[in-house]
Amino acid sequence: MNDIEEQSEEKQLDFIREQIQADLKSGKHDKIVTRFPPEPNGYLHIGHAKSICLNFGVADEFGGECHLRFDDTNPAKEDQEFVDAIQRDVEWLGCDWGEKIYYASDNFDQLYAYAEHLVEAGKAYVDDLNTEQIREYRGTLTEPGKNSPYRDRAIEENLDLLRRMKAGEFEDGSRVLRAKIDMASGNINLRDPVLYRILRAPHPRTGDSWKIYPTYDFAHGQTDAIEGITHSLCTLEFEDHRPLYDWFIENLPVPSKPKQYEFSRLNLGNTVLSKRRLTQLVTEAKVSGWDDPRMPTVSGLRRRGVPPEAIRDFVSRLAISKTEGVVEAAMLDHCIRDYLNEHAVRRMGVLRPLKVVIENYPEGKSEELIAVNHPGNEEAGTRMVPFSREIYVERDDFMEDPPKKFFRLGPGREVRLRFAYFITCTDVIKDEDGEVVELRCTYDPETRGGNAPDGRKVRGTIHWVSADHAIPADINLYEPLFDDPDGGHSENFLENPNLGSVEHLTGCMVEPSMANSTIEATVQFERTGYFSRDEDSDEGHPVFNRTVALRDSWAKVRKKS
Ligand code: ATP
Ligand code: MG
């Protein structure tokens, strides 16, 4: 199944935008308010980017606003590092929450007051069953649940127990507060869901104030209501929670009545988008960190050199629908390439250098040649690249015994050096093992700039760098973390032999203009791929990460289908 919508001129509104449009038209709302509600227990990934761009996108399109809300109700797994990383990533994606940054924990007092309200209304009770018993009593999809023996406690007793839970009198996990709804409901979420748990752990924001914490279900909708959210957009796994969401809104004196809408989450082929698994990759050091360039995290993509515009373009092509599908990872690469092809400047870099000595070029001489920064965009301008008697070319651009269709260098063959001269290979120098270590060539001084006055043609054009001027660099060539169909989805994914797929090249040579490149400025090394400087690289010896190769496997996939 494919989850991609081909972009057409008139893009049809998805069901969420249709809903919003209708609600504005009918006067139900004057202004819409959405929110992106990450739990700060990990870094954001490309799936979150879909939700971010949807929430901030509709707010922008319909003149509303979007809040950034940290869903920080479980202090056991949450951390300030994640709060900071999430803000950085959302901002980097180009989304602006203005002053509207919130924490669910800001509402702990109010949420607790709502809990007492339910108790006083006879709609919640303190249960002494333990987690396992609760699960047992809950029943299954085909069998109804059983009432807890504590379900009919008196209101006063419930209130007293709840206050003592709050005061920290009881052991973690010894009691919970549950809503009193219906243990026989066809929807398991309505079988007396848990509202509060005892957890006597400090919270990054509220410190030691709380010994009980609200569950996601109890906190989420009420926080939406407190913030005045009109459209609470979430992924399909919450569809069955909606009746509960509505039940709370109906049964509590909340200041507004938000509505929840569910859309399909992004699933990427061969890619792990589970926070639990991404956490495992990091904590078990299978990757260098959350921002390892192979990670599908926003920070990993950034470090790989993917521009935010490419991510936005990708997620804007995803269907906002009610059907789950899997999008091929090649589609993301396609969007990255598409963007970079248009926007990245061209440079020359030799990944696996082979030295070439141009014998008829004067020793000690060098000259500056004009190189075009972008063949399709004159405004990108030109730069000067130095040329001299010794240059490096790509090892793969030479064959000692080339087949007919190989239009690059071979003994006696003439090629064009990009922006420079025609050269002809006259001699091949090998080491004791028979390995080619150097080529001897001659150049035709009449062909400066890459054209022969006599009109003679060459079939091949190759890239090069001047040996005296080049900057040595390391280059990381990344392959997907998981390149088998299982894509890291099996339980023993950490043992996957394809994990760790990065080829680290040393001794690469790049043109001198790359000396002060930045991580944001992803470039195309001509004929090779797109690269950006790694944020950890030394001034004098840069490290580049391959953002994406030139080859467009998506185009092939598409042709076949
Ligand atoms: P978990 O809840 O298991 O920690 P999560 O990925 O759901 O992980 P949240 O921080 O709860 O993480 O997610 C924040 C928001 O991003 C939620 O509204 C969620 O629905 C949305 N979201 C998460 N994963 C995806 C995805 N793959 N595609 C689209 N939206 C997603
Ligand atoms: Mg979640």
Side-chain angles (χ1 to χ4, degrees), residues 431-446:
D431 64 12
E432 298 125 43
D433 304 327
E435 180 104 17
V436 176
V437 290
E438 190 180 300
L439 302 179
R440 295 277 162 160
C441 293
T442 56
Y443 86 119
D444 177 354
E446 298 295 310

Side-chain angles (χ1 to χ4, degrees), residues 112 198 214 220 226 285 315 367 488 508 542:
Y112 178 76
I198 303 174
H220 203 85
I226 293 167
V315 298
E367 64 189 301
C508 313

Side-chain angles (χ1 to χ4, degrees), residues 214-414:
T215 55
Y216 171 88
D217 280 324
F218 189 61
H220 203 85
Q222 281 61 271
T223 307
D224 283 343
I226 293 167
E227 287 182 22
I229 302 301
T230 55
H231 297 77
S232 180
L233 312 179
C234 63
T235 34
L236 281 174
E237 69 270 25
F238 293 103
E239 195 164 21
D240 292 343
H241 295 239
R242 188 177 354 118
L244 179 57
Y245 185 101
D246 292 341
W247 188 88
F248 289 129
I249 298 296
E250 283 311 307
N251 286 281
L252 288 170
V254 287
S256 74
K257 293 197 183 302
K259 282 269 173 212
Q260 175 182 301
Y261 299 92
E262 311 85 19
F263 63 95
S264 52
R265 66 192 296 114
L266 166 64
N267 300 306
L268 252 197
N270 296 6
T271 308
V272 170
L273 290 185
S274 141
K275 245 196 246 171
R276 184 174 65 81
R277 292 190 172 193
L278 293 174
T279 304
Q280 268 178 290
L281 287 168
V282 174
T283 54
E284 306 204 8
K286 300 292 183 186
V287 294
S288 64
W290 285 97
D291 68 346
D292 185 300
R294 291 164 297 167
M295 291 281 270
T297 50
V298 173
S299 53
L301 292 165
R302 173 171 61 231
R303 187 160 183 181
R304 215 174 86 196
V306 176
E309 293 86 348
I311 298 178
R312 295 175 65 105
D313 174 41
F314 170 67
V315 298
S316 77
R317 299 189 198 198
L318 302 172
I320 302 294
S321 73
K322 285 279 188 188
T323 356
E324 291 272 359
V326 179
V327 177
E328 295 202 50
M331 181 64 198
L332 173 59
D333 286 351
H334 173 76
C335 292
I336 298 170
R337 244 179 236 117
D338 231 29
Y339 181 84
L340 290 173
N341 180 40
E342 194 179 333
H343 293 94
V345 297
R346 274 49 171 173
R347 292 290 181 259
M348 290 196 287
V350 177
L351 270 51
R352 297 172 183 85
L354 174 61
K355 192 178 214 181
V356 172
V357 178
I358 300 164
E359 291 187 307
N360 59 340
Y361 195 90
E363 270 179 65
K365 177 180 166 174
S366 74
E367 64 189 301
E368 298 268 316
L369 298 168
I370 298 175
V372 169
N373 286 333
H374 194 296
N377 177 10
E378 237 174 79
E379 279 173 25
T382 59
R383 67 192 185 283
M384 304 307 285
V385 288
F387 184 82
S388 63
R389 180 179 156 91
E390 296 192 1
I391 62 172
Y392 292 113
V393 301
E394 207 70 65
R395 203 158 265 281
D396 288 352
D397 282 336
F398 171 79
M399 275 181 91
E400 209 179 353
D401 190 14
K404 245 191 164 160
K405 290 252 161 89
F406 185 82
F407 299 119
R408 297 174 248 171
L409 267 180
R413 297 212 179 179
E414 186 171 48

Side-chain angles (χ1 to χ4, degrees), residues 426-530:
T426 52
D427 213 349
V428 179
I429 302 185
K430 298 181 185 175
D431 64 12
E432 298 125 43
D433 304 327
E435 180 104 17
V436 176
V437 290
E438 190 180 300
L439 302 179
R440 295 277 162 160
C441 293
T442 56
Y443 86 119
D444 177 354
E446 298 295 310
T447 57
R448 192 171 197 267
N451 288 305
D454 63 5
R456 139 179 131 259
K457 300 271 183 246
V458 290
R459 291 290 293 270
T461 300
I462 64 175
H463 60 276
W464 54 276
V465 292
S466 164
D468 278 349
H469 305 87
I471 300 172
D474 290 3
I475 292 183
N476 294 317
L477 302 180
Y478 294 102
E479 295 297 336
L481 262 183
F482 303 100
D483 59 2
D484 50 1
D486 175 56
H489 290 93
S490 71
E491 267 315 310
N492 58 352
F493 74 108
L494 290 172
E495 270 76 63
N496 190 319
N498 295 318
L499 258 178
S501 39
V502 46
E503 192 180 350
H504 186 75
L505 302 177
T506 57
C508 313
M509 293 289 174
V510 301
E511 66 168 78
S513 72
M514 291 305 292
N516 37 28
S517 57
T518 61
I519 168 175
E520 292 82 19
T522 305
V523 302
Q524 184 193 96
F525 285 145
E526 294 206 23
R527 304 178 59 235
T528 305
Y530 295 97

Side-chain angles (χ1 to χ4, degrees), residues 128-138 173-174 176 197:
D128 298 0
L129 294 183
N130 64 33
T131 316
E132 213 160 280
Q133 291 166 318
I134 289 180
R135 197 179 306 127
E136 240 168 72
Y137 275 66
R138 189 176 287 132
S174 61
V176 291
R197 293 196 173 87

